[in-house]
């Protein structure tokens, strides 16, 4: 079992960030800065599946887990991403237990799933690993993160949390707010109430809950409340805010 999964199972809170820019150096810098994981954004960012291998290599070089966010719950796509060497996969818009099961099957080899078998890829060290090593270790180590972003997922959360093989259920607060008719109001009582409910059910079912946060203060707050997988901002936002703080300070004098 890898360090990421060990920490999750031990109840520890992990801090990560979304990587939107297609540059391996950024994933490596995030790891060197101490992030526990990076989410390579293949849904909204500039990162294609073909680019995942180099970003995953860079993240691993810095000792951080590389999670690739796909743009759809497609088992073939999920398997392809994992073949490139990503440590895990994050699947958006999960609204039912059936959709959760589909995602897990795409990420796991038989008997736990239906992922296509090929060990002659980056994930299998290009054939150096035996079939027994690769297939067994992959099932044990692959990280499966499911995103609950809408009201279907919120209504069916109890069933989703019971699906075997799910490591993290990740809440997308912006999409959740939009599904409630209050887009962008991530601190609205309705949004917070649903997050609290999902967090409570996650604890009861022994499944880690994840959340996107806009600030380190928010990350610390949710960490203290039991959220374990905290995605703080994006590389683009962090870079912009740092640049802006410098220019504002410079021009204020």
């Amino acid at each position: 079992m890898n360090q990421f999964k060990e920490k999750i199972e031990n109840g520890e809170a992990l801090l990560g960030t979304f990587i939107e820019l297609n540059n391996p150096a950024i994933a490596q810098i995030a790891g060197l800065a101490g992030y526990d994981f990076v989410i390579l954004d293949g849904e909204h960012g500039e990162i294609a599946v073909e680019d995942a291998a180099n970003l995953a290599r860079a993240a691993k070089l810095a000792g951080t887990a590389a999670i690739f966010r796909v743009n759809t719950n497609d088992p073939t796509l999920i398997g392809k991403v994992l073949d490139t060497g990503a440590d895990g996969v994050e699947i958006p818009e999960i609204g039912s237990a059936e959709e959760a099961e589909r995602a897990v099957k795409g990420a796991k080899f038989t008997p736990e799933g239906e992922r296509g078998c090929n060990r002659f890829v980056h994930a299998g060290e290009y054939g150096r690993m035996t079939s027994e090593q690769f297939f067994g270790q992959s099932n044990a180590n692959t990280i499966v993160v499911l995103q609950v972003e809408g009201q279907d997922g919120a209504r069916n959360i109890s069933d989703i949390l019971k699906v075997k093989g799910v490591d993290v259920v990740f809440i997308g607060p912006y999409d959740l707010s939009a599904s409630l008719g209050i887009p962008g109001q991530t601190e609205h009582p309705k949004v917070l109430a649903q997050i609290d409910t999902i967090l409570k059910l996650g604890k009861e079912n022994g499944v880690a809950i994840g959340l996107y946060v806009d600030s380190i203060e928010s990350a610390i707050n949710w960490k203290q409340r039991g959220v374990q997988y905290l995605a703080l901002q994006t590389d683009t936002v962090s870079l912009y805010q740092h640049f802006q703080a410098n220019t504002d300070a410079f021009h204020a004098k």
Side-chain angles (χ1 to χ4, degrees), residues 145-146 148 157 160-161 166-171 198 207-210:
V145 182
L146 305 183
V148 171
I157 188 63
I160 292 169
L161 287 165
V166 177
D167 296 296
V168 179
V169 166
F170 180 81
I171 305 167
I198 294 171
V207 178
I209 300 302

Side-chain angles (χ1 to χ4, degrees), residues 173-174 177 181-189 191:
Y174 281 94
S177 69
I182 43 175
Q185 298 183 49
T186 59
E187 298 294 322
H188 192 283
V191 176

Side-chain angles (χ1 to χ4, degrees), residues 191-203:
V191 176
L192 296 177
Q194 286 200 334
I195 293 174
D196 284 334
T197 296
I198 294 171
L199 181 56
K200 177 177 179 291
L201 290 171
K203 291 177 180 178

Side-chain angles (χ1 to χ4, degrees), residues 7-24:
K7 288 182 176 180
I8 286 290
E9 291 192 4
N10 289 336
E12 296 181 44
L14 306 181
L15 183 67
T17 190
F18 279 94
I19 303 296
E20 306 294 315
L21 301 175
N22 184 14
N23 189 322

Side-chain angles (χ1 to χ4, degrees), residues 1-15 36 167-168 199 202-203 205-210 219-220 222-230:
M1 185 181 296
N2 60 40
Q3 191 177 57
F4 178 101
K5 295 190 78 164
E6 286 181 355
K7 288 182 176 180
I8 286 290
E9 291 192 4
N10 289 336
E12 296 181 44
L14 306 181
L15 183 67
D36 298 293
D167 296 296
V168 179
L199 181 56
K203 291 177 180 178
N205 286 274
V207 178
I209 300 302
I220 293 168
W222 284 110
K223 170 187 175 181
Q224 293 172 343
R225 294 174 66 177
V227 175
Q228 289 183 255
Y229 179 93
L230 289 147

Side-chain angles (χ1 to χ4, degrees), residues 88-102:
V89 63
E90 187 160 330
I91 302 100
E93 298 179 2
I94 299 297
S96 67
E98 291 75 20
E99 291 174 1
E101 288 168 356
R102 176 179 172 86

Side-chain angles (χ1 to χ4, degrees), residues 15 18 26 49 54 64 82 85 88 91 98 104 114-115 128-129 144 158 163 181 205 217 234 248-249:
L15 183 67
F18 279 94
I26 297 176
V49 174
N54 284 334
T64 192
L82 293 172
I91 302 100
E98 291 75 20
V104 172
E114 300 173 355
R115 178 179 166 189
R128 189 189 73 84
M129 297 176 71
V144 179
S158 293
V163 173
N205 286 274
E217 292 78 16
T234 66
D248 286 350

